[in-house]
Amino acid sequence: MKSLDKGAECGTDIENNNNQEGENQSETSHNRSPLLSDPWKPYQRPRAIAKEWLLKLRCCFGSVCGMEWYGYAALGILTAFLSFLMDFSVLKLLNAHQWLYLRLDGNRLLQFFCWTLYPVCLCVFGSLFSHNICPFSTGSGIPEVRTILVGFDMPHFLSVTHLFTKFLGLICTLAGGSTIFLGKVGPFVHLSTMVGAYVSNLCTLIQPNKKDNAMREMLVVAAGVGVASCFGAPVSGVLFSVEVMSSHFALRQYVPCFFSAACGALTFRLFSFWSGEGETLQALFKTNFPSSLPFYPLEILLFALLGLLCGAVSCCYLFCHRSILQFTKTNPVLVKMLKTDKGLYAGVVAFFLACVTFPHFAGRYMASKCTMKQLLTSLLESGQWSSQSRNASVQLQLDPLLEWNSSESPLFFTLTFFLFMKLWMLVLACTLPVPAGYFMPVFVYGAALGRLVGEGAAFMFSSASINPGGYALAGAAAYSGAVTHTLSPALLAFEATGQFSHAVPALFATLVANAVARSRHRPSFYDALSIGKKLPHLPSLKKVCPWLPSTPLGQVLGVKSVQLQKAAGPAEVRHAVSSSTETQIPVVDSHESQILVGFVLRSEALMFLRHSEAENPGKHLDEVCTIHPITVLLSPHNTIQEAYSILSLFGAQTLFVTDGGRLVGLITWPEMKRILEDLVKDI
C-alpha cells in the first residue's frame, strides 16, 4: 500500500510538473513572435547521426596524430590553392593585355594608350581599393609579420578584410606585368600567415585543450608555406622562414614547417599540372644545363667576381631605396599626396613607368613585352645568345630571345640598358601604395646581371663551353641574397630551376655578395622597411643603432608598475585592478620592503573581489588567491637584447625586474615597444 501511495504521489507530481511546463510553454509561446512559435527543427535524427559520426571521425583522426597536424596540411593546401588562383587570374589579365596590344598593331597611338592605360587603371584601382577598404594592406607585409612573430599583438593585420583586400590588390599589381615590375612573394607570405591564423582558430574550436603558443607556431609555419606555394620549393621556404621571418626559431618547429611546406609545394605543382601549364610535374623555371661539364674549376674566380659585383650593386640599390623612402616621408607634396590622393600618385607613377617601357620607345631595349616568368626563363637559358639567331618573320608567338638579341639592339647593349633602367625604375616602383612584393624583381635583376657577366666571359675567352645560364642562376641567387641579407635565395634558385650542378659556385657567389652587403652594419631591404615604418623589431633596429641592444634596462624602465602586498585587502585589490591592465600583477611582501614574492593573475584578483563581496570581506589576498612563483627574474643591469630574447623565446607575457630582491619594474611587449620607440625616435 505504501508503494502504491508513493507511486500515486509520484504520478501526481509528474502531472503537476507537466502542467506547469505546459503553462510556461504556452506563456512563452504567447509572448514570442509567431514566426518563432514552433521550435521544431527538421531532420533531427539525421542531424544527430551526422554529429555522432563527426565526433567519431574526430576521435579517429585525433588518435592518429594531433589536430594541429591536419591544420598544417590544410594550411599548405589552402595557401597553394590561393597561389594558383592568383597566378591563373594574373595570366588571364596579362594575356588580355597582350591580345589587345597585338590587335592594335599598325596604329602606334592606340597601342600607346593600350600599353599605358591598362596598367595605370589596374594600379589606380588596386591603390584606391586597398586604401578605402584596408589602408594598411599596401606594401610587402613581411615587416609586420616579423613583428607579429616576435610577440607584438597586431590583430588587424590578420583579419579577413585584410586578406581579401590584399589578395585582390596583389592581383591588380601583378597584372601590370613587366611595366610595374613587382612580384608577389612578400604579400603572399602575409596572406599565408592570415590563412594560418584562421586555421589555428579552427583547430582551437575542434580541440579546445590546445597547447600554449600554438598560434605563433602556426604563423611561423605559414611564413615558410608562403614561399613554398609561390615557387613549389619547400626547403627554401622553410629556410626563408628561419632567416627572414623568425628572429628566434625553435627546433621543434622544423618538422611542422617542412610538412606544411611540402603539402603546399606538392599541391601547387599538382594544380599547375592539372591546369595544363606543364606536361608533367617539373620545376617552375625549366632549364637544360649540360651535365657533363657544368663549369671549369677556374670559373670559380669569375663566380667570386660576380658575387662582388652583385654585392656592390645591391649596396647601391639599398642606398637608393632608403633615400627615396626618406624623401617620400619628408617631402610635403608627396606626404600630402600619399595621405589623401594615393590613387593619383599610383596613376602618375604607373603612367611614367609605362611610357618608359613602351615597346616602340625605350622598351624595345628592355624586352618589355616579356612577362616576369618569360624574362627569367630566357635569362636562364644555357646556350650562348651571341651564337644563336632567330628569324622574326617565322615567329608565331613572342620569342623572349628575339627581344633580347635583335638586329636593332646588340646583346650587350640590351642587357646593360636593362640593368641601368630597371635599377631606378624598381626603386621608384617600390613607392607605389599598392600590395606588392619586391623579391622576384630583384631575383630577375640578379639573373640579368649574371647573364651579362656570363656572356662577357664567353665572348672574351671565345669558349663555347662556358654556360651563361649558370652565371644567371648564380647572379639571381647572389643579388637577391645580398639585398635581403640571406642565403635562402641560393637554395630557392636550385629548387625553382631543378639545377643543382651549379650549387657550389652559386652558393660561393651568394656568400661573397652577402659579405659585401653586410659590411658597415648596412640594413637589409626588409630591415629598412621596418625602420621606415617605426616597427619595434630589434634585429632590424640594431643595424642602424648598434648600441641599442646593449642598453641596460635600468636606464629605460618607466614608472613603477602597480603592485599588491601579500596581505592586501579588497580595497587595495580593487584599486590595483582598476588602475592596471596587466594580466600578471606583482605581489610584494610589503610596500615598505618591496621584496617580490610572486605574482597573482588578474582573473584570480577579480575572483577575490567577488568572493569578498559575497562571503567574507575581511580576508586577505594570500588567504584566497594563489601567489604564483616567478621562474625568470631580470636585473636592471640586464640589457634590452637579453629581455627581448627571453620574451621571444619563451613567449612570456611579463618579465619582472628586481634589484637585490626588491621590485624595480616589469617588462611586457607594450613596455618593450615603448622603450624601442623612445630610443629610436630620432632615427
Side-chain angles (χ1 to χ4, degrees), residues 134-145:
C134 196
F136 40 81
S137 64
T138 58
S140 171
I142 284 184
E144 291 83 2
V145 174

Side-chain angles (χ1 to χ4, degrees), residues 30-300:
H30 176 73
N31 295 329
R32 292 173 59 187
S33 172
L35 295 176
L36 302 177
S37 58
D38 189 3
W40 177 80
K41 296 181 180 180
Y43 307 108
Q44 291 185 358
R45 182 172 179 78
R47 289 171 64 248
I49 295 175
K51 184 177 180 180
E52 182 181 358
W53 277 102
L54 287 175
L55 291 175
K56 291 182 179 179
L57 188 64
R58 188 187 73 173
C59 295
C60 181
F61 284 162
S63 62
V64 177
C65 60
M67 293 302 299
E68 63 271 10
W69 288 95
Y70 300 103
Y72 296 145
L75 171 62
I77 295 172
L78 289 175
T79 307
F81 174 74
L82 288 179
S83 180
F84 171 76
L85 181 62
M86 181 177 294
D87 290 345
F88 182 79
S89 304
V90 170
L91 181 62
K92 294 300 180 182
L93 290 173
L94 289 174
N95 290 338
H97 186 205
Q98 185 179 7
W99 174 84
L100 182 59
Y101 179 82
L102 294 177
R103 292 282 292 181
L104 298 174
D105 191 16
N107 193 328
R108 291 195 176 182
L109 181 60
L110 292 179
Q111 281 189 323
F112 173 78
F113 286 127
C114 171
W115 184 267
T116 56
L117 295 182
Y118 191 86
V120 167
C121 293
L122 288 172
C123 283
V124 170
F125 174 77
S127 178
L128 291 177
F129 181 79
S130 302
H131 176 68
N132 293 326
I133 303 299
C134 196
F136 40 81
S137 64
T138 58
S140 171
I142 284 184
E144 291 83 2
V145 174
R146 294 198 303 177
T147 306
I148 293 173
L149 291 180
V150 167
F152 289 98
D153 189 18
M154 303 172 70
H156 50 282
F157 278 94
L158 301 176
S159 62
V160 177
T161 305
H162 198 174
L163 173 66
F164 172 73
T165 306
K166 196 141 197 169
F167 183 81
L168 187 58
L170 185 57
I171 290 178
C172 296
T173 302
L174 297 177
S178 60
T179 298
I180 308 301
F181 203 61
L182 293 173
K184 77 168 188 175
V185 175
F188 205 80
V189 170
H190 192 186
L191 290 172
S192 178
T193 56
M194 297 181 202
V195 176
Y198 284 93
V199 170
S200 179
N201 292 335
L202 181 61
C203 292
T204 304
L205 293 176
I206 298 176
Q207 190 178 10
N209 55 344
K210 196 173 63 170
K211 59 183 180 180
D212 297 335
N213 298 328
M215 172 66 81
R216 183 183 181 276
E217 291 187 8
M218 184 66 77
L219 295 183
V220 172
V221 171
V225 174
V227 179
S229 300
C230 285
F231 301 101
V235 181
S236 56
V238 175
L239 185 59
F240 180 85
S241 177
V242 173
E243 289 187 298
V244 177
M245 306 305 299
S246 302
S247 56
H248 298 90
F249 194 90
L251 291 177
R252 66 178 182 274
Q253 296 167 352
Y254 267 111
V255 176
C257 276
F258 276 111
F259 174 71
S260 186
C263 292
L266 179 61
T267 305
F268 178 76
R269 296 195 179 189
L270 285 175
F271 275 126
S272 300
F273 170 67
W274 290 335
S275 64
E277 293 185 7
E279 297 178 358
T280 183
L281 295 180
Q282 59 186 8
L284 184 61
F285 305 106
K286 191 175 181 180
T287 54
N288 52 356
F289 291 178
S291 57
S292 57
L293 183 62
F295 58 92
Y296 292 103
L298 290 179
E299 286 187 71
I300 293 293

Side-chain angles (χ1 to χ4, degrees), residues 436-584:
Y438 312 110
F439 179 83
M440 192 62 183
V442 170
F443 198 79
V444 176
Y445 189 91
L449 194 61
R451 188 79 198 192
L452 179 62
V453 174
E455 292 287 349
F459 178 77
M460 288 179 60
F461 298 107
S462 301
S463 175
S465 300
I466 292 181
N467 178 17
Y471 288 87
L473 179 69
Y479 186 73
S480 55
V483 170
T484 58
H485 290 188
T486 58
L487 297 178
S488 54
L491 187 57
L492 175 62
F494 307 146
E495 286 190 284
T497 60
Q499 291 293 340
F500 286 87
S501 59
H502 285 71
V504 174
L507 184 59
F508 184 62
T510 306
L511 289 170
V512 173
N514 264 270
V516 176
R518 291 171 180 263
S519 60
R520 297 186 179 181
H521 299 286
R522 293 186 181 94
S524 68
F525 183 86
Y526 296 121
D527 290 333
L529 291 178
S530 297
I531 295 168
K533 295 181 178 181
K534 303 291 184 181
L535 294 176
H537 190 255
L538 187 62
S540 300
L541 297 176
K542 69 181 180 181
K543 298 291 182 64
V544 291
C545 294
W547 50 267
L548 182 61
S550 58
T551 304
L553 290 175
Q555 297 181 10
V556 295
L557 282 177
V559 182
K560 186 178 291 187
S561 62
V562 175
Q563 55 188 267
L564 292 170
Q565 59 181 349
K566 189 167 57 174
E572 184 179 348
V573 174
R574 186 177 296 104
H575 177 266
V577 170
S578 61
S579 58
S580 173
T581 58
E582 303 297 338
T583 58
Q584 299 176 0

Side-chain angles (χ1 to χ4, degrees), residues 382-390 401 405 411 451 455 464 468:
S382 61
Q384 297 178 14
W385 287 354
S386 56
S387 62
Q388 300 182 25
S389 61
R390 293 287 193 276
L401 181 57
N405 192 16
L411 169 64
R451 188 79 198 192
E455 292 287 349

